[in-house]
Amino acid sequence: MLRLHSHPFSTFGRRVEIALIEKNVPYERVEIDLAGRQHKTPEYKAINPYSRVPTLEDHGFYLYESSAILQYLEAEHPEPALTPADSKGRAKVDMHLRLCDGQMAGPAGVIIFQKRFFPEAKWNLDSIAKASKDIAAHLEIVSQALEGQDYLVNDRYTLADIAYIPFLHFLPLMVDPATVPANVAKWSAQLLARPSSQQTIPAK
């Protein structure tokens, strides 16, 4: 059985869990005590030298980058498919995975970490404002990709959509909901309503 070393609060761990659930792949979640700095121990660094979560363990094989894990799961468990069969569709999924990590994850982390784990008096409002502006600009581009369809690639649910779900969960914390493009708001709502998304909602 696969083992997923992660934490319920990890946005990157959550996207992997969603994919595992969607693919009906049995797995064991090994919760890493981040508050207790378990991820900094020599034992954990032996399987993930970056001291981050998640780490996927598959019979002595380890991966510790969430987008790579998603692609690995697709290759090892191709049904039900979460990428298109054609090369152009697969390339677009890969593109959106990279764009999510490059354009959404960074500014989202700035906002989510402060607003979830620090009192308002300690928020860096300038950094939050800049991050919110960056996210809003990115969502405008996402809106263009969604034009005329319900999902990012070939109008079907794929890894490209899954990559965004943990961040969309906190969208109201990050941008003014009134400024979110209508098709992005619709896309977000339908993704968050899926059973796999509901099953992996963090407790806090």
Side-chain angles (χ1 to χ4, degrees):
M1 181 181 292
L2 296 178
R3 304 180 83 201
L4 181 65
H5 303 259
S6 190
H7 188 280
F9 292 171
S10 169
T11 49
F12 295 104
R14 186 182 178 195
R15 58 164 58 160
V16 173
E17 287 207 70
I18 289 171
L20 287 164
I21 293 167
E22 291 282 350
K23 286 186 164 294
N24 301 307
V25 176
Y27 71 99
E28 174 190 359
R29 186 172 74 187
V30 181
E31 186 165 325
I32 302 301
D33 182 5
L34 299 180
R37 299 181 64 79
Q38 184 182 354
H39 57 303
K40 297 292 186 180
T41 62
E43 292 79 12
Y44 187 72
K45 291 181 74 172
I47 65 171
N48 186 329
Y50 289 98
S51 299
R52 295 194 289 255
V53 293
T55 300
L56 184 75
E57 176 184 352
D58 186 2
H59 299 89
F61 174 71
Y62 297 93
L63 282 176
Y64 38 81
E65 199 284 322
S66 64
S67 292
I69 294 171
L70 293 177
Q71 299 280 20
Y72 175 73
L73 291 174
E74 185 68 11
E76 289 290 301
H77 305 276
E79 297 296 334
L82 292 175
T83 60
D86 65 294
S87 58
K88 290 183 175 64
R90 287 180 178 273
K92 288 190 74 174
V93 167
D94 187 52
M95 178 184 74
H96 284 294
L97 285 174
R98 294 170 188 261
L99 288 170
C100 179
D101 289 351
Q103 305 297 320
M104 185 76 168
V110 169
I111 299 172
I112 294 171
F113 187 74
Q114 294 187 70
K115 289 193 172 183
R116 290 181 73 202
F117 302 113
F118 286 94
E120 188 171 353
K122 292 188 175 182
W123 294 355
N124 183 325
L125 298 180
D126 289 339
S127 69
I128 289 175
K130 181 182 184 306
S132 181
K133 182 178 179 180
D134 290 344
I135 290 170
H138 178 59
L139 291 180
E140 289 293 338
I141 298 173
V142 171
S143 175
Q144 295 171 25
L146 287 168
E147 193 65 38
Q149 57 185 28
D150 290 330
Y151 300 101
L152 284 172
V153 179
N154 294 3
D155 202 16
R156 53 173 290 194
Y157 182 78
T158 69
L159 296 177
D161 305 293
I162 288 174
Y164 277 93
I165 290 172
F167 303 107
L168 294 174
H169 181 85
F170 296 105
L171 198 56
L173 289 181
M174 301 190 293
V175 295
D176 180 352
T179 67
V180 176
N183 60 350
V184 172
K186 178 184 175 183
W187 171 65
S188 176
Q190 67 187 10
L191 293 181
L192 293 174
R194 292 181 73 93
S196 59
S197 299
Q198 291 292 307
Q199 188 175 331
T200 57
I201 292 175
K204 180 178 179 181

